[in-house]
Amino acid sequence: MPLNSTTPFQAPAALPFATLFVQEAVLSHQITVRQLIHQLQTVDPDLPAYFAINSDWPHAHYVGRIVEVPSPNGAVYLAENGQEGVLPPAVRTELGWADV
């Protein structure tokens, strides 16, 4: 999966990190665990990780349990574990998501 660039910008003080780096990548609807690990290896490993789930109601969600279904057609599922708050405007803009 090619990464085109990394773009920094300041996040609002309401979230627990000061600078956010957005990775621009060409993504399909389905990625492999290997591709996800590759993307995550390019960011600071000590930063908190969140899900940005719904473009119409853009909030940051906590990452919960990780479940593997082992089989020839298996998959890995990353569970959502609650909501942090509204995504910062810069994140919504970078994702092309709605304002709230």
Side-chain angles (χ1 to χ4, degrees), residues 18-87:
T19 303
L20 180 65
F21 289 88
V22 174
Q23 294 189 359
E24 298 171 8
V26 179
L27 299 176
S28 67
H29 282 91
Q30 185 176 29
I31 65 170
T32 66
V33 171
R34 181 184 316 276
Q35 290 168 320
L36 179 60
I37 290 169
H38 174 75
Q39 289 182 52
L40 291 173
Q41 287 177 333
T42 65
V43 298
D44 182 344
D46 295 320
L47 291 174
Y50 298 97
F51 288 122
I53 295 177
N54 186 340
S55 60
D56 293 326
W57 191 249
H59 284 74
H61 294 259
Y62 298 112
V63 178
R65 293 181 56 202
I66 300 171
V67 177
E68 178 184 5
V69 178
S71 73
N73 296 321
V76 172
Y77 294 87
L78 309 175
E80 182 269 348
N81 191 28
Q83 186 173 296
E84 164 72 15
V86 176
L87 287 175

